[in-house]
Amino acid sequence: MTRSALLILAALVGSCAQFTVAVNIDVGKNELSKEKTESFMDILCSPVVGLLSPSYSVHTLRPVDISALYVLGTPLSHRDEASRVVRKVNELLSMFNPEVITQDVDQTTMQPRSLLEEAEELSLSLSNQETHWKLVLLFAPADSLCDCSPNVAADVKSVVQEVEAALQLLQKTLPLTLVHVMVWSSNHQQDKCQCMRNESIDQRLRNATLLKTLQDSLSQVLENPKWNSERADFTAVLLSEPVILEPISDSDNTWSDLNQLTVQLWKNMLQPSTGEAEVMDTSVITSPCPTQEQLFLRTNKYSPTNRGGIIHRNASTPTDPVTGTEIPCTDRSPSPTTPTSVHELRPGDVKVVAAVGDSLTAGNGVGAKNDNLLLVINEYRGLSWSIGGDENITTVTTLPNILRVFNPNLTGFSEGIGKEDSPKAFLNQAVAGAKSGDMVQQVRVLVDKMKNDLRIDFHNDWKVITMFIGGNDLCDVCTDSIVFSARNVVGHIRQALDILHSEVPRAIVNLIELLNILPLRELHYDTTLGCPTWFTSLVCPCILKPKPGSSELQKVKDLNKAYQHAMRALIDSGRYDTHNNFTVVLQPFLREVVLPKLEDGRPDRSYFSPDCFHLSQKAHTLMAQALWNNMLEPVGNKTFTQDFSVGIDLKCPSKTNPFFRTAVNSNFTFPGPPPTPAPATNWGSDFSCVNTAPSNSVPTSAHRLRPADIKVVAAVGDSLTAGFGAKAKILLQLRTEYRGVSWSIGGDKTLETVTTLPNILKKFNPKIKGVSKGQGTRQTGFNMAVSGAKVAGIPGQIRRLIDTMKNDSTVDFENDWKLVTLFIGGNDLCQYCNDRASLSPQNYSQHLMTSLDMLYKEVPRAVVNVVEILEVEGLRRLKKDSLGCNVLQKLVCPCFLLPAEDSPELAEVKRINRDLQVDTEKLVYGSRYDGREDFTVVVQPFFRNTITPLNIDGRPDTTYFSLDCFHFSDRGQADMAAALWNNMLEPVGKKQTYNNFRNTRDNIKCPTEENPYIFTKVNSLASSTITTTPAAPTTHSTALPLTPECTESVPVWLAAVLAVSGLLIGWFVTWLLFSCRAKRSKRRMMTVEMKGTVF
C-alpha cells in the first residue's frame, strides 16, 4: 500500500510539473545515495503538445525524436566531470523519450585519441542502425591550447581541422544525425601552459580570448552551407557558448556546479528563445523547456549562431562617437619661472606624464570596432584616458593631449598598440590584469625609466603620474576575502606611493578612487544588448556571478565601498605632504558612476568595448575630461558623481586659481589618520539578552530547560579543558593549568573580562555552582579534566565527578539541573600512529559509550554537551619562529605534524579524525539515551570543520594559541566558549559546524521567546510546531508534548473511501509501471549490441 501511495504521489507531481522549474540542490545529505543525489531533476519539463509524428528533417528535431545520444572527444583531463554532464543531459532527454540511450566511444585507456579515430569507430558501430534519430555531442577541447604560445594560431587551426575531418566522416556515414559541437574548457590553462605562469600576463583575459578565437574559428567552418543544405537528415551546429568547467575548490559543491553546467549546455542545445534574461544565480538552477514557439533542437538553419558577438535586434550598436575636445581655455601660458612648489603648478609647467594601473590604463579594447571581441586583447595605449598620446586633442581626448595644448613639448605619453615593454608604451607601465599587489613593481620600473631616459630631466621636470588600480582585486575578492581585503589592497597602494614619495622629485600623483563597478552587471541582464556574459564572467567572476539580493553580492558592494574609503583615509592622513615638491591628490570622479542609458531605459553599450566590461574610446574620452576637471577642483569639493550620458564641460584654470588643486592650495585640513584602537586587555564579551528568567517551576524535562534553570556545571576532558598554558607568557608557565579561564567550566571574574560558558550562565543564574577558578588544583570545582588524558581515562573522570557532586553539600544531587561538557580525543589522534590498536575509533566509541552510560544511569536531571573533536590538521599551518612552535608542537602531536604532505600516513590520521567525529554523532543520536525525560545528550559540532584563525594578513593568528602552538590561549578559550554557547542555542541539524573565531564582543546569542530552551534532539524536531510563551505563572506540566493536537474523531466513511480509492489507484499505477518497464526492457534487448560505455 505504501508503494502504491508513492506511485500516486509521483503521478500527481508529474501532472503538476511546470514548463520551468527552479531546483535547489542539497548535496550535503549523507543519507542520500550518490545515484539519488546526482539525479538532480526527476521532472523538469512537461511534454509539449504538438505533432506526434516523427520529424523528417534534422532542422525540426524535437527532444522526443532523439533515440540515442553519442559522445565524441571526451576530454581525458576531466573525463569524469564531462561524463557526468553527459549523463545529466541524457536524463533531460529521457523526460521526452524515456528509452533514449547514451553511449560514449570506448575510452577504457587514458591514451589520447583523435576525433577522427573516434568518429570512425562510432560510424562502424552504427553501420546497420539507420532508423532512428541520433544526437552526437562533439567536444572540441581547448585545454591543450596556450594563448601565450607563439604557435597558438597553428594549434587552433589544427583543432578546427580535426573537428572538420570528423564531421565530414560522420556526414558520409551517419544518416539521421544531428551533431552539436561545443568548445570545452576547464579554465585551468595556467596549470599546463608554462608561459601562463608569468605574473605579467592577464591570464583570465587571455584564456577568454583563446576560447573566443577557437569558437569563432569553428563557427566559420560550421557556417558553410554544406552542413545545412545538402541533406535533410544530417547537420552540424556549433553551440553558441563554450562550456566552461570552473575550478571546484569544495568537493561538496561539485554536483551543484555540474548541474549548473548541464543546464547551460541544455539551454544552448535548444532553439534559442527571445528576450530571455541571463541567469546569474549559481545556487538555483532554472531549466528552459521546449515550448510551442521553441519546439526544436538548435541547428544553423533555424537557430543561427551569433559569431563575433553581433548585437541582436534593438541593441545599442556603437556609433562613431565624437572623441575630440575643444579646449575653451584662453590662458595657456606656463609659470614665468619654473615653480619650486607643487602647490603652484600650472598645466603649462608639466613636462612629463606617466601612469600605472591595469587594463583600463593599458587601453584594452578601447579601439575595438564593429564588436570584434577578439580585439579586446589589444592594448590601445595611445587612446588611454590618462596617458595616451595618439593624434591630438581634436580627434583623441586624453589627459596628455589636453596638457599638450598647454605644453606642446610634453613627453612620457604612450602611442599606438602594444604591451608595457614596447618602445611606444614609454611611461605607460600599466599591465592588463594587474592588481594592487603589482603596483610596487610597476612603480619601480617607472622610476627607473624616468631616471634613465635622456628625454627627461628627472630632478627638474615637473611630472604628473596617474595611478588607477583595484578593479581586478574586486573581481577576485570572492576567492580570498583576506588577501583582497581593503586593508591589504590599500597597503599595497601605500607601498607604491611611498616609493614615489621618497624617490621622485617634482611630482603630483593622481590617485584615482576605485569606481563603483557593480552597475556593470546591468549590461548582462538584458540579452538584447548581446553582451558575451560567459566571456566577462571569466574575466571578472566575483562581480557577475552573485545573484541579485544575495549576501555574496552585498559583500562585494561593501568591499567596493571599503576600498574607496580606505583610499580616502590613506590620502587624508597627510602622509604625502611632507615637502613642497611632491603630493598625492585623490581624484574621486568615479566614486558614484551613473550607468549611461538609452532613451528606452536600456544601458548604452556604446560606452563599452565588445566584452561589456572594458571601456570604449567614448568612455575614455569622458574619463579624461572628468580627470582634468577633478585636477582643477579644490580638495574637499571635488566632483564624485559622474553621469557620462549628460556630457562634461571642460574646465579651465582661472586667474584667481591657475594651479592644479592640492590640499595646501585648497586650504584643506587633513583629518589625520583615525585613532589607533587601544589593544585588547581582556577577552570578555558583551551581554544583551533580555529573556533571562528561569522557568516558573523547576522543569521535569531536559527538553524544556531554560539557561536560568541550570544550577550546576561540570566538565571532563584533557588539557584544553584544564586550561593548560592558556595564559602562559614564558615557557616556564606553559605547564600551569589556568582552570579559571577554561572555556567550558572556568569562572574567573565576569563575562565582561573573561568569556567562559559558566560566566555566560551567570547572567541567567548568578549562583551557578561547580566552576573552576584560578590556577592549579586548589579551586577546581567540578572540572575533572586531566592534562594529557585520552578517551580511555574519561570513565574514571566521570566516576570522580559523580562522587564529588554527591558528596558536595551545596548541590541537591537529585533536584538540581546539571550541565556537563565532555571534550576529548585530541591526544588519541596525536598519538594514534604509535598505538593504532588501543587508539582505534572502535575503542574510542566504546570508552565514550561507557562514560555516557555512567552519566545516564546515575545522574538525574542532566544535559550533556559532547563537543566533537576538532580537525587537528589545521595545526600544521601554525608557524612561528620560537622554541615552543618549532620543537614542542611536534612533540605534543607527532602523528599529525611529522608526516609529509600528501603522505599515506597523513591521509590515514585525517581519516581517523573524521571517523571519530562520525562515530560520536552515531552514538549520541542513536536511541541509547532517549529513555529518560530528565536526561539528554547533545553533540555540539562547532569544531567539525575546524578553521584556523587568520590575522589580517591572511596568516594563521598565533595569538589564539599558547606558546607551544598547540594548546589554546585565553583568547582561543574565549572563542571556544562563545561557539559552544551558540551551538547550544541552535537546533540539532542546524547547528553551525565550523568555528568562526573573531573575538568580537557581540558574539553571544540569546534565547528568544519562541525558542527559550537549550536545544536538544527532541525539541529541535518539535520546535516548528510547538509554541512557547515567556516564563510566567502557569499550571501546565513541563513534560514536552511530542504529538501535535488533532481533532478527536474522523468520519468512518471518509477513512473507508480513502482506503479503497488509494488501493484501486495504487493497483492501476503499479500495473501501468510494470507494463512500461516490460516494454522498455524488450526494446533495450533489441539495441544491446549498440551499447558501449554507458553513463
Side-chain angles (χ1 to χ4, degrees):
M1 190 67 184
T2 302
R3 187 174 186 178
S4 298
L6 291 174
L7 290 169
I8 294 169
L9 178 61
L12 290 173
V13 172
S15 66
C16 297
Q18 302 296 315
F19 284 154
T20 302
V21 179
V23 182
N24 280 295
I25 311 297
D26 182 4
V27 298
K29 304 294 184 183
N30 293 330
E31 65 269 22
L32 293 178
S33 67
K34 179 176 180 179
E35 290 78 9
K36 186 172 181 179
T37 306
E38 287 199 299
S39 180
F40 69 112
M41 41 184 85
D42 293 329
I43 299 175
L44 280 179
C45 299
S46 297
V48 178
V49 179
L51 298 175
L52 297 179
S53 59
S55 174
Y56 293 100
S57 171
V58 71
H59 302 294
T60 56
L61 279 183
R62 300 157 299 178
V64 70
D65 296 320
I66 302 299
S67 297
L69 174 65
Y70 300 98
V71 185
L72 296 178
T74 304
L76 293 180
S77 59
H78 294 86
R79 180 178 179 183
D80 181 59
E81 292 88 343
S83 299
R84 286 159 66 183
V85 168
V86 171
R87 191 159 59 238
K88 294 171 188 295
V89 170
N90 179 72
E91 186 177 346
L92 287 166
L93 285 171
S94 67
M95 293 188 299
F96 306 94
N97 181 4
E99 299 181 5
V100 66
I101 63 172
T102 303
Q103 177 176 320
D104 186 11
V105 175
D106 184 25
Q107 288 193 359
T108 55
T109 68
M110 295 302 291
Q111 296 298 321
R113 299 172 49 180
S114 70
L115 283 173
L116 185 59
E117 290 174 332
E118 294 186 26
E120 290 173 345
E121 183 175 336
L122 178 63
S123 299
L124 185 62
S125 66
L126 298 179
S127 57
N128 298 321
Q129 308 293 331
E130 300 182 359
T131 58
H132 302 291
W133 282 105
K134 300 170 282 293
L135 175 62
V136 177
L137 296 181
L138 191 153
F139 290 93
D143 290 344
S144 60
L145 305 174
C146 293
D147 182 79
C148 51
S149 167
N151 302 318
V152 62
D155 294 339
V156 169
K157 184 177 180 180
S158 176
V159 171
V160 173
Q161 289 175 341
E162 188 177 3
V163 170
E164 186 174 17
L167 291 177
Q168 289 174 344
L169 176 65
L170 296 177
Q171 187 181 38
K172 292 178 181 178
T173 58
L174 291 186
L176 300 177
T177 300
L178 169 61
V179 182
H180 276 173
V181 180
M182 72 191 80
V183 174
W184 170 279
S185 172
S186 65
N187 202 15
H188 277 289
Q189 259 202 329
Q190 60 272 24
D191 296 340
K192 297 182 179 180
C193 303
Q194 187 67 34
C195 56
M196 289 294 282
R197 298 176 185 175
N198 186 341
E199 294 183 357
S200 67
I201 290 180
D202 188 355
Q203 297 176 358
R204 284 192 173 139
L205 183 58
R206 282 185 170 273
N207 187 36
T209 305
L210 173 64
L211 295 182
K212 181 60 178 173
T213 301
L214 181 57
Q215 184 86 6
D216 283 358
S217 299
L218 287 170
S219 183
Q220 289 177 358
V221 171
L222 290 170
E223 284 178 355
N224 191 315
K226 70 179 181 180
W227 304 113
N228 306 307
S229 59
E230 292 183 359
R231 289 163 43 184
D233 65 346
F234 182 94
T235 194
V237 60
L238 176 69
L239 299 188
S240 60
E241 296 179 359
V243 179
I244 302 169
L245 177 66
E246 295 290 346
I248 301 173
S249 57
D250 184 356
S251 59
D252 291 340
N253 292 328
T254 302
W255 289 336
S256 180
D257 290 346
L258 292 180
N259 290 338
Q260 186 70 40
L261 199 65
T262 303
V263 173
Q264 175 200 338
L265 175 58
W266 174 254
K267 177 180 176 181
N268 288 334
M269 290 169 61
L270 294 177
Q271 179 183 6
S273 58
T274 56
E276 188 172 338
E278 180 74 23
V279 177
M280 300 174 73
D281 178 4
T282 58
S283 64
V284 179
I285 296 177
T286 304
S287 175
C289 296
T291 65
Q292 291 287 3
E293 292 75 25
Q294 288 98 24
L295 278 172
F296 309 123
L297 294 171
R298 183 186 296 263
T299 67
N300 276 340
K301 188 170 183 180
Y302 294 125
S303 308
T305 58
N306 180 30
R307 185 173 68 84
I310 298 173
I311 303 172
H312 300 287
R313 292 179 279 128
N314 298 323
S316 53
T317 55
T319 59
D320 291 329
V322 177
T323 55
T325 299
E326 182 178 349
I327 306 295
C329 309
T330 56
D331 185 2
R332 304 177 182 181
S333 58
S335 300
T337 60
T338 302
T340 58
S341 172
V342 70
H343 312 299
E344 298 176 355
L345 189 67
R346 300 171 186 260
D349 298 327
V350 177
K351 302 289 183 65
V352 179
V353 288
V356 291
D358 53 28
S359 55
L360 290 181
T361 302
N364 281 85
V366 179
K369 304 294 184 182
N370 300 323
D371 296 312
N372 188 337
L373 189 56
L374 297 179
L375 294 180
V376 173
I377 197 69
N378 288 348
E379 297 173 6
Y380 297 87
R381 293 180 181 264
L383 303 177
S384 174
W385 59 291
S386 63
I387 187 63
D390 276 0
E391 302 181 21
N392 57 62
I393 192 62
T394 62
T395 55
V396 176
T397 300
T398 64
L399 178 63
N401 280 354
I402 296 174
L403 287 170
R404 285 161 74 183
V405 174
F406 295 84
N407 178 14
N409 296 320
L410 185 78
T411 190
F413 51 82
S414 52
E415 297 177 285
I417 302 173
K419 309 294 290 184
E420 69 278 0
D421 54 359
S422 64
K424 288 190 174 183
F426 204 3
L427 299 185
N428 181 350
Q429 287 305 301
V431 178
K435 302 182 180 72
S436 59
D438 301 310
M439 285 300 93
V440 168
Q441 177 62 21
Q442 288 189 29
V443 163
R444 291 195 184 280
V445 173
L446 176 64
V447 172
D448 289 342
K449 283 183 173 291
M450 288 193 294
K451 286 180 178 180
N452 298 319
D453 196 287
L454 297 178
R455 290 167 287 184
I456 298 171
D457 185 343
F458 182 70
H459 293 284
N460 296 311
D461 286 349
W462 279 102
K463 311 161 193 74
V464 170
I465 304 171
T466 302
M467 178 184 291
F468 183 40
I469 198 66
N472 290 313
D473 297 80
L474 204 59
C475 285
D476 269 354
V477 74
C478 60
T479 65
D480 196 325
S481 59
I482 293 178
V483 170
F484 300 111
S485 66
R487 178 185 181 274
N488 283 340
V489 168
V490 175
H492 295 313
I493 293 173
R494 183 183 65 247
Q495 292 172 13
L497 292 177
D498 285 351
I499 295 172
L500 293 174
H501 183 223
S502 63
E503 297 188 27
V504 182
R506 295 197 170 184
I508 180 171
V509 178
N510 291 319
L511 177 62
I512 310 302
E513 190 172 310
L514 181 64
L515 79 161
N516 178 15
I517 198 172
L518 273 300
L520 294 179
R521 290 167 54 93
E522 296 182 37
L523 289 161
H524 299 271
Y525 286 130
D526 189 341
T527 57
T528 64
L529 298 177
C531 286
T533 301
W534 68 267
F535 185 97
T536 312
S537 295
L538 283 177
V539 176
C540 192
C542 299
I543 298 299
L544 284 188
K545 290 189 176 181
K547 76 171 185 176
S550 66
S551 59
E552 290 78 12
L553 181 59
Q554 186 60 48
K555 183 177 181 180
V556 175
K557 290 180 179 178
D558 293 342
L559 280 167
N560 201 151
K561 292 180 180 178
Y563 283 11
Q564 295 174 333
H565 177 77
M567 289 180 183
R568 294 198 294 272
L570 173 63
I571 305 307
D572 285 349
S573 68
R575 183 184 186 94
Y576 303 110
D577 279 273
T578 59
H579 46 76
N580 283 335
N581 71 348
F582 184 94
T583 192
V584 180
V585 181
L586 186 77
Q587 310 297 2
F589 65 94
L590 291 176
R591 183 184 302 169
E592 297 177 9
V593 176
V594 179
L595 190 69
K597 298 290 183 69
L598 298 169
E599 292 182 358
D600 59 7
R602 294 181 302 135
D604 189 345
R605 189 180 167 183
S606 66
Y607 287 88
F608 297 89
S609 66
D611 64 353
C612 294
F613 178 76
H614 293 92
L615 301 176
S616 68
Q617 189 177 357
K618 185 175 181 180
H620 274 252
T621 297
L622 295 170
M623 287 176 67
Q625 294 169 342
L627 172 58
W628 170 263
N629 285 354
N630 253 185
M631 293 173 69
L632 295 177
E633 294 170 338
V635 174
N637 195 28
K638 291 182 180 288
T639 301
F640 59 85
T641 300
Q642 206 69 61
D643 185 352
F644 284 159
S645 60
V646 176
I648 297 175
D649 295 326
L650 213 63
K651 294 186 177 182
C652 293
S654 65
K655 290 184 178 181
T656 55
N657 291 297
F659 312 123
F660 286 132
R661 304 309 294 269
T662 66
V664 172
N665 63 31
S666 300
N667 295 319
F668 180 78
T669 302
F670 289 117
T676 302
T681 57
N682 60 70
W683 305 115
S685 298
D686 297 328
F687 185 81
S688 59
C689 304
V690 293
N691 297 311
T692 59
S695 300
N696 185 62
S697 59
V698 178
T700 59
S701 170
H703 314 297
R704 290 284 189 177
L705 193 66
R706 300 171 186 260
D709 297 327
I710 296 172
K711 301 294 181 63
V712 179
V713 289
V716 294
D718 54 24
S719 53
L720 291 180
T721 301
F724 186 94
K727 298 174 69 175
K729 304 302 179 184
I730 59 175
L731 286 177
L732 289 177
Q733 298 173 340
L734 189 60
R735 293 178 59 86
T736 303
E737 294 178 343
Y738 298 88
R739 291 178 181 258
V741 298
S742 173
W743 60 295
S744 61
I745 188 66
D748 277 359
K749 300 182 180 179
T750 65
L751 178 62
E752 283 71 26
T753 56
V754 178
T755 303
T756 65
L757 179 62
N759 280 354
I760 298 173
L761 288 169
K762 285 180 187 178
K763 295 295 183 178
F764 298 86
N765 177 15
K767 298 181 179 180
I768 200 84
K769 292 169 282 191
V771 302
S772 56
K773 295 183 178 180
Q775 305 173 14
T777 59
R778 288 175 295 179
Q779 302 181 68
T780 58
F782 297 145
N783 184 347
M784 298 296 156
V786 176
S787 294
K790 300 183 178 72
V791 70
I794 296 301
Q797 293 185 30
I798 295 293
R799 180 76 274 151
R800 290 194 300 276
L801 173 62
I802 295 173
D803 293 343
T804 303
M805 286 194 295
K806 285 182 176 179
N807 295 326
D808 192 310
S809 60
T810 65
V811 176
D812 184 342
F813 187 73
E814 296 296 329
N815 296 311
D816 284 350
W817 277 101
K818 310 160 195 74
L819 178 66
V820 182
T821 301
L822 189 159
F823 181 50
I824 197 67
N827 293 309
D828 298 77
L829 278 171
C830 286
Q831 302 297 326
Y832 171 78
C833 60
N834 298 323
D835 191 355
R836 287 175 170 80
S838 62
L839 300 178
S840 67
Q842 294 77 14
N843 284 343
Y844 180 92
S845 296
Q846 184 62 44
H847 291 308
L848 185 61
M849 182 173 67
T850 301
S851 304
L852 294 176
D853 285 354
M854 294 170 64
L855 292 170
Y856 181 68
K857 293 175 182 178
E858 300 185 41
V859 181
R861 295 194 172 183
V863 173
V864 180
N865 287 324
V866 176
V867 179
E868 277 189 6
I869 180 63
L870 73 165
E871 284 185 318
V872 185
E873 185 193 13
L875 294 175
R876 294 169 63 91
R877 297 187 59 191
L878 286 178
K879 306 293 181 184
K880 188 177 180 181
D881 188 16
S882 67
L883 179 63
C885 274
N886 293 339
V887 178
L888 296 181
Q889 187 192 44
K890 293 181 174 62
L891 293 176
V892 174
C893 196
C895 297
F896 253 109
L897 298 178
L898 293 180
E901 200 68 35
D902 298 326
S903 64
E905 290 75 15
L906 180 60
E908 179 189 22
V909 73
K910 287 167 63 176
R911 177 179 57 80
I912 296 300
N913 196 156
R914 182 59 181 154
D915 287 347
L916 297 187
Q917 294 177 333
V918 172
D919 291 348
T920 298
E921 191 171 41
K922 286 181 179 178
L923 171 63
V924 171
Y925 290 144
S927 58
R928 189 177 186 88
Y929 306 111
D930 293 346
R932 285 174 45 191
E933 187 69 16
D934 71 337
F935 184 92
T936 191
V937 185
V938 184
V939 173
Q940 309 298 359
F942 67 88
F943 265 147
R944 181 178 301 169
N945 302 294
T946 307
I947 300 173
T948 304
L950 303 178
N951 58 26
I952 54 180
D953 295 320
R955 298 183 178 91
D957 193 339
T958 56
T959 63
Y960 283 91
F961 299 89
S962 189
L963 299 178
D964 59 1
C965 290
F966 179 80
H967 294 91
F968 282 101
S969 66
D970 52 347
R971 183 182 188 184
Q973 295 268 350
D975 266 340
M976 287 176 68
L980 172 60
W981 169 258
N982 291 343
N983 255 182
M984 291 169 60
L985 297 184
E986 295 165 340
V988 174
K990 296 182 179 179
K991 293 180 181 290
Q992 182 167 299
T993 58
Y994 61 91
N995 59 298
N996 185 20
F997 287 180
R998 296 179 295 134
N999 272 143
T1000 54
R1001 295 187 63 90
D1002 59 349
N1003 199 28
I1004 303 297
K1005 289 188 175 182
C1006 294
T1008 63
E1009 292 185 3
E1010 295 77 17
N1011 295 297
Y1013 310 123
I1014 294 172
F1015 273 103
T1016 67
K1017 181 175 70 173
V1018 173
N1019 64 28
S1020 296
L1021 295 173
S1023 62
S1024 61
T1025 57
I1026 296 178
T1027 302
T1028 62
T1029 57
T1034 179
T1035 58
H1036 72 271
S1037 170
T1038 58
L1040 180 69
L1042 300 180
T1043 56
E1045 296 183 0
C1046 301
T1047 55
E1048 294 183 355
S1049 62
V1050 175
V1052 176
W1053 64 267
L1054 178 59
V1057 169
L1058 289 175
V1060 174
S1061 300
L1063 183 61
L1064 292 175
I1065 297 174
W1067 283 342
F1068 172 75
V1069 175
T1070 303
W1071 171 81
L1072 184 62
L1073 174 66
F1074 284 112
S1075 297
C1076 294
R1077 185 176 295 174
K1079 182 178 179 181
R1080 185 184 306 172
S1081 299
K1082 182 177 179 180
R1083 176 154 185 173
R1084 285 181 174 173
M1085 289 296 293
M1086 297 174 62
T1087 61
V1088 69
E1089 67 274 14
M1090 293 191 298
K1091 294 187 177 181
T1093 302
V1094 179
F1095 290 90

